[in-house]
């Protein structure tokens, strides 16, 4: 990960087992990740209500945007972090991999190239730029920024990387496309500026079969005006840049929850403006601590992310709920739908899908429970009415209730140390590992599970958060009770 180190024992590297990976599985790894990678590529591309006039669609391209260095650093160097929500001129991914002899590494860089769509109207024998134009057939055409997906691949034997880094030029050429509108009403002009970048791959041997891999994407294009607005500079930028990393005979190690014997090495990996997670199916050799393909994303994700199988198509907001967006899209007026269709072809495709969605597909969006932790409530809550029955909440008092954690009653006012689960937890919780906190309340969910609301000791806004009820939530098995004599210094070994 990008900061700090993780302590843990390390088995002799010479004794590590290389992965037994069928070559066809490695080749299919990128395909397994295609739905998730596309969700990253188009996250926030166009948000509900999918109209140009919507305020949220006037500020776009927020993740993984790589500009020329001179433009980014016009006011000073950028501060690297794992999130790609900050503008930068490069991305760096470092990860651990275990290999078979003769292994080949494959890296794919994906991004969007901005395409400016300008509507021009014919009048008095000349063309003039306009924001919108309605042709005689009733179709509305709007000026709007689109994007073209781009990708570049590099494949290299892993042994060759030990002799030196390998680079490949990435980017996309400038271009112009002209679409004539019916009856000579005008035309639509689409223009793309040139985009330049380099994709560089290197590796360092840490043991007989253990390597640290580095993948770096660098914007190499010139800057026309370092003081240009962000909107203007976007023309030469890589947008939503991310990488897929796989290969034949390679197995990647989770940096979120690495195997115990690899924690120290995992802690030395430096990831800047991107966050690598395992993709596809977990490896059979080490449960879900290793995998055969990696997605390095500008959006923080958990290991093995998936798009819900019930989802019938992209809504360009992977953090939202399909059913809610579908229902709200159904309620758009005819005029709003016309504007959305004129805004962008992807918006038109969403409307077409919603308008023609079969009832059985819509029913699948209502919800699915994939995993529930076994309910194990502590007395006196073992025999309670079902949550929908009258009196189900009687006797519950979140501020005074307690729950046993390692044999210690923990409730409001208790001091705890945070130990988030590496697997199955919120990916952002790992940044709180080892921090101390105070319990504000104990909540019993309708499924029988228990969550404790906490405020961080070192959060300067903790009192304000408590006042309006904003907390971090953890299960009892993610907390370590602290006695009054315990040190407030975070224990070693936090991720």
């Amino acid at each position: 990960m990008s900061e700090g180190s993780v302590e843990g024992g390390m088995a002799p590297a010479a004794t590590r087992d290389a992965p037994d990976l069928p070559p066809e599985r490695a080749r299919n790894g990128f395909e397994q990740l295609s739905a998730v990678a596309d969700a990253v590529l188009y996250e926030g591309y166009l948000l509900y209500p999918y109209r140009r006039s919507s305020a949220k669609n006037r500020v776009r391209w927020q993740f993984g945007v790589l500009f020329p260095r001179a433009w980014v650093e016009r006011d000073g160097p950028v501060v690297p972090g794992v999130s790609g929500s900050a503008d930068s001129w490069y991305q760096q991914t470092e990860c651990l991999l275990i290999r078979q002899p003769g292994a080949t590494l494959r890296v794919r860089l994906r991004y969007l190239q901005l395409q400016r769509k300008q509507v021009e109207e014919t009048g008095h024998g000349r063309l003039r730029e306009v924001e919108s134009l309605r042709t005689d057939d009733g179709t509305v055409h709007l000026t709007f920024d689109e994007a073209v997906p781009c990708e570049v691949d590099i494949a290299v034997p892993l042994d060759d990387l030990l002799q030196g880094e390998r680079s490949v030029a990435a980017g996309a050429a400038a271009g112009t496309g002209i679409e004539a509108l019916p009856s000579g009403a005008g035309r639509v002009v689409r223009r793309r500026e040139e985009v330049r970048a380099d994709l560089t791959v290197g590796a360092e041997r840490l043991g007989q079969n253990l390597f640290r891999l580095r993948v770096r994407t660098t914007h190499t294009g010139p800057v026309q005006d370092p003081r240009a607005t962000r909107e203007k500079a976007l023309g030469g930028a890589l947008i939503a840049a991310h990488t897929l990393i796989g290969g034949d005979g390679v197995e990647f190690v989770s940096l979120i929850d690495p195997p115990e014997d690899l924690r120290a090495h995992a802690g030395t990996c430096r990831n800047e403006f991107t966050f690598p997670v395992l993709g596809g199916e977990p490896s059979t050799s080490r449960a879900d601590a290793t995998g055969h393909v990696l997605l390095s994303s500008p959006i923080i994700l958990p290991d093995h992310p998936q798009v819900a199988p019930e989802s019938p198509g992209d809504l360009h907001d992977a953090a939202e709920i399909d059913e809610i967006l579908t229902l709200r899209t159904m309620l758009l007026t005819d005029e709003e739908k016309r504007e959305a269709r004129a805004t962008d072809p992807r918006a038109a495709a969403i409307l077409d899908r919603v308008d023609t969605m079969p009832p059985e597909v819509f029913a699948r969006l209502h919800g699915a429970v994939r995993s529930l932790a076994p309910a194990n409530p502590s007395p006196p809550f073992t025999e309670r009415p079902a949550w929908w029955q009258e009196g189900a909440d009687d006797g519950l008092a979140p501020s005074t209730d307690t729950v046993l954690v390692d044999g210690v009653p923990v409730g409001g006012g208790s001091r705890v140390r945070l130990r988030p689960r590496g697997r199955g937890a919120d990916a952002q919780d790992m940044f709180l590992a080892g921090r101390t906190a105070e319990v504000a309340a104990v909540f019993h969910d309708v499924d029988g599970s228990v969550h404790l609301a906490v405020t961080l000791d070192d959060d300067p806004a903790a009192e304000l958060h408590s006042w309006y009820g904003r907390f971090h939530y953890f299960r009892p098995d993610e907390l370590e009770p602290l006695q009054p004599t315990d040190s407030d210094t975070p224990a070693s070994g936090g991720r």
Side-chain angles (χ1 to χ4, degrees):
M1 293 176 292
S2 67
E3 295 181 346
S5 62
V6 183
E7 296 182 1
M10 174 62 186
T15 66
R16 301 194 56 77
D17 294 331
D20 182 15
L21 175 63
E24 64 276 7
R25 185 172 184 179
R27 286 193 293 269
N28 292 333
F30 291 175
E31 285 66 30
Q32 293 178 20
L33 267 177
S34 61
V36 174
D38 283 347
V40 170
L41 187 66
Y42 288 104
E43 173 68 10
Y45 174 83
L46 191 63
L47 299 176
Y48 172 89
Y50 309 115
R51 305 192 313 268
R52 184 188 66 170
S53 60
S54 174
K56 66 177 70 174
N57 288 320
R58 296 176 186 174
V59 181
R60 303 165 69 200
W61 324 119
Q62 299 302 308
F63 301 100
V65 184
L66 305 185
F67 291 95
R69 184 172 185 174
W71 186 88
V72 174
E73 296 190 338
R74 58 186 177 179
D75 296 318
V78 296
V79 178
V82 296
S83 172
S85 59
D87 294 337
S88 177
W89 54 273
Y90 73 97
Q91 285 180 344
Q92 175 176 293
T93 299
E94 287 191 348
C95 60
L96 302 179
L97 66 84
I98 309 166
R99 65 104 189 230
Q100 287 179 340
T104 297
L105 189 74
R106 304 178 191 278
V107 179
R108 175 175 296 169
L109 168 65
R110 308 173 80 236
Y111 58 94
L112 296 175
Q113 178 191 22
L114 189 69
Q115 177 170 267
R116 302 194 185 278
K117 181 182 70 171
Q118 177 65 57
V119 178
E120 298 180 354
E121 181 181 28
T122 301
H124 305 292
R126 57 182 296 183
L127 290 165
R128 66 183 183 95
E129 295 182 351
V130 294
E131 289 298 307
S132 66
L133 176 63
R134 185 188 296 269
T135 53
D136 292 343
D137 60 1
T139 302
V140 177
H141 302 270
L142 297 178
T143 294
F144 192 69
D145 285 346
E146 304 170 335
V148 178
C150 306
E151 62 182 40
V152 62
D153 288 271
I154 182 172
V156 58
L158 189 56
D159 288 340
D160 289 0
L161 294 179
L162 299 178
Q163 310 304 317
E165 295 180 333
R166 295 295 179 90
S167 294
V168 61
T176 301
I178 298 177
E179 174 190 354
L181 298 179
S183 304
R187 66 181 188 176
V188 175
V189 182
R190 291 176 168 87
R191 297 183 177 90
R192 299 180 303 279
E193 296 180 28
E194 182 184 23
V195 177
R196 295 184 192 174
D198 282 341
L199 176 63
T200 303
V201 183
E204 175 188 358
R205 185 190 295 273
L206 302 178
Q208 180 178 354
N209 297 315
L210 182 66
F211 296 78
R212 180 188 295 112
L213 179 71
R214 178 183 295 111
V215 178
R216 189 176 177 95
T217 303
T218 305
H219 193 295
T220 58
V223 58
Q224 302 300 326
D225 179 7
R227 293 293 169 181
T229 64
R230 186 177 189 272
E231 181 181 6
K232 184 173 180 59
L234 279 167
L238 285 74
I239 298 172
H242 61 280
T243 51
L244 302 177
I245 309 173
D248 298 328
V250 295
E251 187 175 41
F252 299 94
V253 176
S254 170
L255 297 186
I256 295 177
D257 192 23
E260 201 61 41
D261 59 339
L262 294 179
R263 285 185 178 273
H265 281 307
T268 65
C269 292
R270 308 288 299 182
N271 288 286
E272 300 176 355
F273 303 106
T274 189
F275 189 78
V277 296
L278 301 180
E281 298 177 2
S283 166
T284 57
S285 62
R286 286 177 171 259
D288 50 358
T290 60
H292 302 302
V293 65
L294 203 74
L295 167 62
S296 193
S297 162
I299 302 171
I300 295 178
L301 299 171
D303 279 335
H304 309 290
Q306 294 182 351
V307 174
E310 293 83 8
S311 179
D314 197 357
L315 292 169
H316 303 312
D317 194 338
E320 264 290 2
I321 300 172
D322 280 19
E323 183 181 27
I324 293 176
L325 286 179
T326 300
L327 285 169
R328 296 182 71 177
T329 302
M330 288 178 174
L331 295 176
L332 292 175
T333 66
D334 289 342
E335 182 60 32
E336 289 174 327
K337 289 184 177 180
R338 277 192 291 270
E339 182 186 348
R341 291 181 186 280
T343 296
D344 191 271
R346 292 183 175 275
I350 291 174
L351 294 177
D352 290 342
R353 187 171 67 245
V354 169
D355 288 345
T356 60
M357 185 178 295
E360 60 272 16
V361 174
F362 182 77
R364 291 205 307 267
L365 302 182
H366 189 58
V369 177
R370 308 203 190 283
S371 63
L372 283 177
N376 186 27
S378 304
F381 306 109
T382 52
E383 298 293 338
R384 299 198 57 81
W387 63 270
W388 62 84
Q389 295 177 345
E390 185 176 356
D393 292 338
D394 292 349
L396 294 180
S399 61
T400 58
D401 286 344
T402 61
V403 63
L404 290 178
V405 179
D406 294 336
V408 178
V410 174
S414 298
R415 303 282 321 297
V416 295
R417 197 182 306 280
L418 307 181
R419 300 296 190 193
R421 293 171 296 171
R423 295 185 285 272
D426 188 320
Q428 306 224 23
D429 285 350
M430 67 179 182
F431 298 113
L432 305 180
R435 306 268 286 276
T436 58
E438 180 177 326
V439 176
V442 177
F443 293 101
H444 296 263
D445 293 345
V446 297
D447 61 8
S449 60
V450 178
H451 286 83
L452 291 87
V454 306
T455 56
L456 299 175
D457 288 343
D458 57 358
D459 185 351
E463 184 176 352
L464 179 62
H465 292 330
S466 297
W467 179 73
Y468 58 75
R470 181 176 181 179
F471 304 107
H472 296 278
Y473 293 89
F474 293 89
R475 294 176 57 85
D477 61 358
E478 297 179 296
L479 302 177
E480 173 191 331
L482 291 178
Q483 300 300 328
T485 57
D486 287 345
S487 169
D488 287 348
T489 302
S492 63
R495 291 182 296 279

